[in-house]
Structures are given as structure tokens and as C-alpha cells.
Amino acid sequence: MTRSVHFQLTDDQRALRDGVRALLEGRFGRQALRIALDTPGLDRTLWRELGEAGFFALTLPEAEGGVGLGLPEAVLAFEQAGRVLLPGPLVATHLAADARVPGAATGEAVVTAVQGGLVEWLEEADVVRGDASGAVPLRSVDPLTPLHRVPDGGGRDRLADLPADPLAVLLTAAEQLGSASRTCELAVQHARTREQFGRPVGAFQAVKHLCAGMLERVGTARAAVYAAAVTADPLDIAAARLLADEAALHGARDCLQVHGGMGFTWESDVHLHLKRAWVRARRSGDVTQSEEMLAGDLLGDPPGAVV
Amino acid sequence: MDLTYTPEEEEFRARLREWLAGVLPTLPPKPPPEDWPARRAYDLGWQRMLYDAGYAGLHWPVDAGGRGATPTQHLIFLEETERAGAPYVGAGFVGLLHAGPTIAAEGTAEQRARWLPPILRGEQVWCQGFSEPDAGSDLAALRTRARRDGDHYVVSGSKIWTSHAEVADWCELLVRTDPSAPKHRGITWLAMPMDAPGITVRPLKTLAGSAEFAEVFLDEVRVPVGHRVGAENDGWRVTMVTLSFERGTAFVGEVVSCRRVLGELAREARKNGRWDDPALRRRLGRLNAEFRALWRLTQWNVSEAERSGGVPGAGGSVFKLRYSHARQELYDTAADILGPEALDLDRPWVLDRLSSLSYTIAAGTSQIQRNIVAERILGLPKGR
Ligand SMILES: Cc1cc2nc3c(=O)[nH]c(=O)nc-3n(C[C@H](O)[C@H](O)[C@H](O)COP(=O)(O)OP(=O)(O)OC[C@H]3O[C@@H](n4cnc5c(N)ncnc54)[C@H](O)[C@@H]3O)c2cc1C
């Protein structure tokens, strides 16, 4: 028998994606998001529930209490987290669970990491990976991601110039992808219902083309992110990161534009997608690193070699 | 999700590679771009080699003379032939990629037997007479008129941008048979022999300087009723069945070749020192990400087509939008690497840069693709 469907979700993967989506939408829907916005701190109950559901232990072997799945499954789950703007150092905790940091897999511990010269959720964290000494809080642009800046004696970032962990970059790209597809949906919903000049604004071609552009970027980024999840190749991950960042950042901007004045309000969710997308883009380190790595590849230079 | 191929597919790839390695060195030299009869002969000669080796009409259904290959095998075929530097379909394009599949899907047994084997064997060239001076994006507004006279249609009107018209034996022609019906309902699909009396072909020079397409004037051209595929006035549907198929795999070989060009560009930049410019390196890095993603999107779309039994999904329009832009960006970057030499038509990539300009226009402009994505995929209200 030839089994010949390759690069599509398997039935199990679809079920997992839908299950995670249902879980997150149920537990962290729009209302919960707005409540979180007004409630400082991380919801530790939710964190433990995520742990119990296996969210942090997706790639941990079953023998060690994990779910025993692969990177593609983790990517699908993180995509869903990005959709609903689930707060917390999700990526750092997932990676910590993989590294057997006690309590990470079960959601008993909140683990953060120094990434891109910043630390997310430092005050809530039970474990910090990397050297966060001397970290100073900053007034985070994203109301749902408290941030600390890690200073450097020489005036340069201690860690910002180091290449980020490819797995962290990939899971972050998955979150960006989820956010991008959500802002595309939000824009389309608004464009279908908001009426001006006696018709839905989505009937105007300028608006239509903004929405089409969002889908174009989401579709291309999705192929890149899923492929990188399958190969785990650092170059594929770097490419996925560039496309997913673009889809999330550009998508949130266009979504804001489609929403008009409503998009500029605190009340709308659009700004939350944009601000989180900025935080995530930073988390993956300097864009130039990814670009240089992909440029080097064209000359056959080994991945990671910075020219 | 999986990006590995089955043993059968790997075997197919290995056999193809071996065949290509043996046959490509025996090809005659490529004819000059201006010599159309020689180009026709070259393109058809290659098609004949494919036919003799059992690779012609690979993804066509078996009962249409094809090999009934899966979309993935077709993908492998396109990937490997491009990698090996094999000729492109060229003048065979319309016959193999559009008119042929339309006849295979909608023609009678007699019509298939008559027209398909010569396409597969590389004996006949088809062209596509759809666009008219006043019907481009709004193709259904076409006005070329066909009036019934006994067992013939008598066709008058004009077509434009008809690629390969000069060397074509047949033209898949869209005509208006019922001017009083709503515009999509009065159109009929005809196979018109290009040597019929009343046809005048006037070559049009493209901005790249070559005559790749032509105007075709039709003055009382008699086409037998038996040359009609599908019912009278059903030509719009007949055509659309195949148009959507084009977008799934039409650009596979090109994405492979763009990735090769990208590597050549990087090496050229290193040679002439422009590589030292970080802005240029970043741009090349982004293009690498872009074409890697486009390759993955191709694999995704092909797998989707396989899953759904050959019907291409919405991915085709998304792909075409993204790819046509990326290709233009690729050759604009080439121009920056070439510097002053980017203005020399004898330098590599300069003509490619010119021809890349057609990608956001031909086969549905980018604006039309965005309308399709917005209305058919995202469900936004239809505009006027
Ligand atoms: C290299 C090449 C080869 C070709 N080969 C063939 C061939 O073999 N056979 C054939 O039949 N045709 C062929 N064509 C024609 C091609 O299909 C048409 O050029 C194309 O469909 C656009 O039509 P048009 O040129 O009339 O432009 P128009 O439709 O006049 O468009 C002009 C501009 O208006 C925009 N526009 C039009 N309608 C809308 C709308 N509703 N919303 C937003 N913007 C709109 C377009 O995007 C474009 O920017 C070829 C074209 C090229 C460039």
C-alpha cells in the first residue's frame, strides 16, 4: 500500500489542534483575556491546568510523565496559544520541561529565560534560565508581558547577540503564526459586519486586498513553520521565524487599519496582538542573525556561521 | 505531517534521474530565442523524448493517454527535470497544461482520441485564444462572435496576447454564441485549426524585445461544430474546470530554478565585492527564506491536492500572488548585485528581470488574485 499524503496534518494532529483550541478558548476566551488585562500577575491555577493537560510536556517522553509527541504537535499547540494570546513564559517553560527542570512539565513551576536581552515574567518565575543578575524592570509595552531588561557592563547586551535556541525560535514562530491567523479572522469578521456608505466595508476593494494580503502571508508562513517543525533544521527554523514574524506584525497592523478608530482603542483586542507580536519578535533575537544565517547558506556556509 | 517520500516515490525519482543523465547530453543545442520554427522543433523534440520514455502526460488520467501519476510524482518529475537542467515545456505549454487537460476532462471519446495523442507525442502545438482587446481581467466580457451555419460555426472577432500563436496548429478559442444571455452563459469553447482561412496572426513584440505573443484576427473563420468541447454556451464552465488546476503545480520547476539563481547571485556578489554590504546580504537571506517557504507551500498544496483527490485547493491563488512578487524581487536584487551591468542585455539575469514583470499580470493579475482570495476564500462580499 502506498501511503502518499505527506505534508498535511494527520488525523491525530487535527484532533490535537482542535482539542487544544477548545481547551484554550474555553479556559482563556475573550472574557478571560480582558480580565487578565485588569489583573496583574500570572494565573497560577491556569498554569497548573495547562501543566495537567500536558501543554508543557508535549515533547517529553511518556516514560518521564510527558505526552511523548513530536515537535510538529508542540508547534500546533503553540499556534493555538498564540491565537488566544495566552500569557506567561510558555516557551521558556516548555523548553525547561524538556530539560527536566523540576516542576516545569507539571505546571507547578513557572520558568522564564533570558532571551534577546530581556526576561519575561521575571517576578512570577520560580526558575530563571540564563543570567538575569542586575535585571531592571521596564514599563512593558505589552500589558500582558511584564519585562525586565538585562544590562551589560560594556553597554552591550550580554545575550542579545548570541543566537537564540532554535527550539525557542520555532515555538515562538508558531505563536506568531497563530496570532497572524487570528488577526486575519478578526479583520475579515469586522469587514463583513461594519457598514459604511450603505455596504459592508469588506465590499471595498482596498479593504478586501488588505485582508487577502493577510491570508497570503499566513498561508506562506504556515507552510514554512510546519516544515521547520518536521525537519527541525536551523535554516528552516530561521526562515520560518522571518515569515511568521512578518505575518504577525504586518497582519496586526493591517487588522488595526481595517478596524478604523475602533482598532485604536484599548477596548479592541487588536493592539494586544500587535504588542505581543513585538515582544515575540524580540524574543527570537536580532532579525539580522536569521537573515545572515540564511544568506550564508546560499554560499554553502554551515548554518550558524556568521559572515 | 511528513516530508519524506515513499520508497515507490524514491524509486521513481531515481529512475527519472538516471534517464535524465543519459538523455540530456544527447540534446541538440538550444535554438536562438528569435527563431520560432527552431524553438518549436526543439520543444517538440523534447516532448517526443519524454513520450518515448513514458513520461509524457505523467499526471493525465490513464484513459486520456496519461500515466495517472499522483500529484507527488508529478512534483518529483518537475523538480528533477528542472534540477537536471532539462528543457522547459515551451511551445507545448498550452497543449500540455491547459487545452489538453480540458479536452481530457470535457471532450468526447472521439475528441480525446483525435487531439490528445498528438499533444503527448509532441506533434502539435496549441495556443490559447481567450483574451481580447476589451476582455482581459473581465474575460467573460469577450465579444468574438460565433454564428451557427449548418454544421459549422462562423467566427469573427479578434484575440490578443495569444502566446505561441505563430507556431500553433490549434487554438483553444472562447467565443460568444449567445449575445443575449448573461455574459458567463453565452460562451462556447472551440478547437480552431490555425490554418483555417480567415485567420491573420500579427506578432506583438514584448518589452523584452521578443515576439512571444500575437494578435489574432478572425474573419468569418469556419469551425466545424464537431470541434466544440462541451455544450454550446457552457464554455465558461468547461474552461474554469482546468484553469484552477493550472495553479497547483504550474510553478514547481520555476521555484526550483529561482533557488538555484539565488545561489548564483550570492556567489556573484561575493566575487564582485557587493557581498560586503550587509543590507544586500540581509536581502538575500530574506529571499532564501521566501523561496524555502514557497517550496514548502508547493509541497503543502500538492499534498492537499492528493488528499482531496486531485482537486487543487485555495492554495493556488495564495501561491501565485506570493510567488510572482518574489520572482520580481529576486531579479531586482540581481540588478543591484550586477550594478551598472544590470543595464546590459547581454548579462545573465537582465532578460529574466524583464520577463519577470509579466508575472503579476499574466494568468490573472495580482489584483484579480486578491479579489479571488478575498471573495472565494475569505468570503468577503462580492464587489462590482
Ligand atoms: C506574457 C503574457 C502572456 C499571455 N498569454 C496569453 C495567452 O496565451 N492567451 C490569452 O488568452 N491571454 C494571454 N495573456 C493575457 C492575460 O491573461 C491578460 O493580460 C490578463 O488577464 C490581464 O488582462 P489585461 O491585460 O486586459 O489587463 P486589464 O484587465 O485591462 O487590467 C489593467 C489593470 O487593471 C486592474 N484590474 C482590472 N480589473 C480589476 C478588478 N476587478 N479589480 C482590481 N483591479 C482590476 C488589473 O489588475 C491591471 O492592473 C498573456 C499576458 C501576458 C502578459
Side-chain angles (χ1 to χ4, degrees):
Chain A
M1 196 205 72
T2 51
R3 174 212 51 86
S4 201
V5 171
H6 316 288
F7 193 32
Q8 289 280 299
L9 301 196
T10 63
D11 291 341
D12 284 349
Q13 286 167 340
R14 276 166 211 279
L16 175 100
R17 177 197 61 191
D18 296 345
V20 174
R21 181 179 299 192
L23 171 82
L24 293 182
E25 281 175 354
R27 193 55 186 77
F28 196 74
R30 169 118 217 286
Q31 228 188 334
L33 173 69
R34 302 310 298 197
I35 291 171
L37 210 50
D38 298 329
T39 322
L42 195 62
D43 180 348
R44 301 291 290 232
T45 314
L46 173 57
W47 202 257
R48 270 190 301 276
E49 282 174 36
L50 289 171
E52 277 158 28
F55 188 87
F56 301 118
L58 287 164
T59 54
L60 196 67
E62 278 178 281
E64 297 182 50
V67 188
L69 293 170
L71 213 42
E73 285 77 15
V75 156
L76 291 172
F78 273 77
E79 182 183 344
Q80 301 312 311
R83 273 181 67 86
V84 300
L85 290 167
L86 191 65
L90 301 163
V91 171
T93 301
H94 193 279
L95 262 62
D98 259 355
R100 287 32 169 198
V101 172
T106 56
E108 282 154 284
V110 172
V111 184
T112 192
V114 183
Q115 284 159 325
L118 295 164
V119 201
E120 301 173 20
W121 293 98
L122 182 60
E123 272 156 26
E124 295 284 338
D126 305 303
V127 180
V128 183
R129 304 181 80 202
D131 178 6
S133 53
V136 284
L138 47 80
R139 217 154 63 79
S140 174
V141 68
D142 176 13
L144 286 170
T145 312
L147 290 171
H148 279 68
R149 179 96 173 82
V150 183
D152 180 82
R156 284 178 62 88
D157 296 344
R158 240 177 310 188
L159 288 150
D161 291 338
L162 290 179
D165 178 343
L167 282 188
V169 174
L170 177 62
L171 294 180
T172 300
E175 287 187 296
Q176 296 286 57
L177 173 64
S179 171
S181 69
R182 184 68 189 139
T183 49
C184 179
E185 285 171 19
L186 289 173
V188 169
Q189 273 169 20
H190 188 76
R192 282 157 87 162
T193 46
R194 166 72 177 171
E195 294 199 5
Q196 285 294 282
F197 300 95
R199 53 213 298 219
V201 294
F204 299 113
Q205 207 172 54
V207 172
K208 235 178 234 182
H209 287 192
L210 284 179
C211 295
M214 288 184 220
L215 187 76
E216 177 200 320
R217 291 187 295 269
V218 169
T220 317
R222 174 164 285 129
V225 171
Y226 288 180
V230 172
T231 66
D233 172 67
L235 286 160
D236 280 338
I237 291 174
R241 178 264 165 113
L242 291 179
L243 277 112
D245 275 358
E246 184 207 14
L249 297 168
H250 200 155
R253 297 285 280 260
D254 286 351
C255 181
L256 200 155
Q257 186 66 22
V258 168
H259 277 76
M262 178 56 80
F264 193 67
T265 64
W266 189 264
E267 174 57 28
S268 139
D269 293 346
V270 183
H271 69 109
L272 301 175
H273 279 281
L274 178 59
K275 292 165 177 174
R276 190 74 65 86
W278 281 338
V279 170
R280 294 193 202 102
R282 206 40 252 165
R283 188 196 294 154
S284 296
D286 277 338
V287 165
T288 36
Q289 280 176 3
S290 307
E291 290 165 339
E292 289 280 10
M293 186 168 143
L294 285 154
D297 166 55
L298 295 173
L299 290 175
D301 291 348
V306 178
V307 188
Chain B
M1 286 188 280
D2 187 1
L3 287 163
T4 54
Y5 294 91
T6 62
E8 290 87 345
E9 286 161 354
E10 290 297 1
E11 194 194 311
F12 172 81
R13 187 192 296 276
R15 262 187 289 123
L16 175 59
R17 272 193 189 162
E18 196 183 325
W19 178 72
L20 286 167
V23 78
L24 289 181
T26 71
L27 280 181
K30 244 183 135 74
E34 304 307 321
D35 188 347
W36 270 102
R39 278 176 67 176
R40 175 190 153 114
Y42 181 84
D43 295 344
L44 293 185
W46 169 241
Q47 180 59 28
R48 178 69 202 199
M49 287 172 152
L50 288 173
Y51 179 83
D52 289 338
Y55 290 116
L58 194 65
H59 64 300
W60 287 20
V62 176
D63 63 3
R67 319 290 300 182
T70 62
T72 303
Q73 283 172 327
H74 189 215
L75 177 84
I76 293 171
F77 172 80
L78 295 167
E79 182 188 356
E80 290 299 329
T81 43
E82 176 56 44
R83 284 239 158 89
Y88 179 58
V89 277
F93 185 85
V94 172
L96 287 159
L97 273 87
H98 196 260
T102 302
I103 294 163
E106 298 285 329
T108 62
E110 203 184 314
Q111 289 172 331
R112 294 159 143 223
R114 171 171 186 186
W115 287 315
L116 299 182
I119 292 176
L120 293 173
R121 288 195 301 258
E123 289 161 5
Q124 290 181 349
V125 167
W126 285 67
C127 64
Q128 185 179 70
F130 288 4
S131 303
E132 295 182 6
D134 291 329
S137 299
D138 188 9
L139 180 58
L142 61 91
R143 290 204 302 240
T144 292
R145 183 80 177 90
R147 158 175 68 76
R148 190 76 175 255
D149 178 28
D151 51 8
H152 281 78
Y153 288 103
V154 182
V155 183
S156 292
S158 62
K159 295 289 173 180
I160 194 165
W161 320 128
T162 316
S163 305
H164 306 132
E166 273 184 283
V167 291
D169 305 289
W170 292 91
C171 177
E172 55 163 342
L173 191 71
L174 288 182
V175 294
R176 183 150 311 274
T177 33
D178 183 356
S180 59
K183 64 179 181 178
H184 294 92
R185 306 243 179 81
I187 295 172
T188 299
W189 193 105
L190 297 177
M192 177 178 75
M194 287 298 283
D195 59 0
I199 301 178
T200 310
V201 175
R202 197 170 75 84
L204 282 169
K205 206 166 163 175
T206 72
L207 57 68
S210 56
E212 300 282 330
F213 48 29
E215 283 177 288
V216 178
F217 300 98
L218 307 169
D219 180 20
E220 304 267 301
V221 181
R222 295 182 71 83
V223 180
V225 169
H227 286 191
R228 185 188 73 216
V229 168
E232 189 170 283
N233 297 327
D234 198 23
W236 185 259
R237 187 194 59 78
V238 168
T239 303
M240 289 307 141
V241 165
T242 334
L243 267 192
S244 57
F245 276 76
E246 259 184 277
R247 295 187 187 130
T249 45
F251 301 107
V252 169
E254 296 197 11
V255 173
V256 173
S257 84
C258 284
R259 293 187 68 181
R260 186 187 56 234
V261 169
L262 202 47
E264 290 165 9
L265 290 184
R267 285 189 289 280
E268 175 69 23
R270 171 117 101 186
K271 214 169 74 196
N272 72 18
R274 289 194 171 78
W275 184 257
D276 296 338
D277 173 5
L280 177 77
R281 289 199 305 271
R282 295 183 61 180
R283 214 166 144 193
L284 286 169
R286 285 212 162 253
L287 278 167
N288 188 4
E290 186 71 27
F291 282 102
R292 277 170 177 265
L294 283 166
W295 177 245
R296 298 314 191 184
L297 185 58
T298 303
Q299 290 178 310
W300 181 264
N301 288 344
V302 164
S303 293
E304 187 174 47
E306 203 143 300
R307 198 186 176 101
S308 63
V311 185
S317 284
V318 167
F319 179 88
K320 203 224 170 220
L321 261 177
R322 186 89 186 188
Y323 168 63
S324 45
H325 179 78
R327 186 178 176 98
Q328 292 177 353
E329 169 63 15
L330 174 72
Y331 287 109
D332 283 345
T333 306
D336 282 357
I337 291 169
L338 287 173
E341 290 177 10
L343 302 179
D344 178 355
L345 287 169
D346 288 330
R347 286 290 303 181
W349 306 318
V350 178
L351 276 175
D352 295 309
R353 184 187 192 198
L354 291 176
S355 70
S356 77
L357 298 171
S358 74
Y359 277 71
T360 45
I361 297 167
T365 70
S366 290
Q367 287 70 36
I368 294 299
Q369 301 297 341
R370 286 193 194 100
N371 290 348
I372 292 174
V373 169
E375 291 168 9
R376 301 206 201 134
I377 309 179
L378 296 175
L380 289 170
K382 264 190 99 67
R384 200 38 305 269

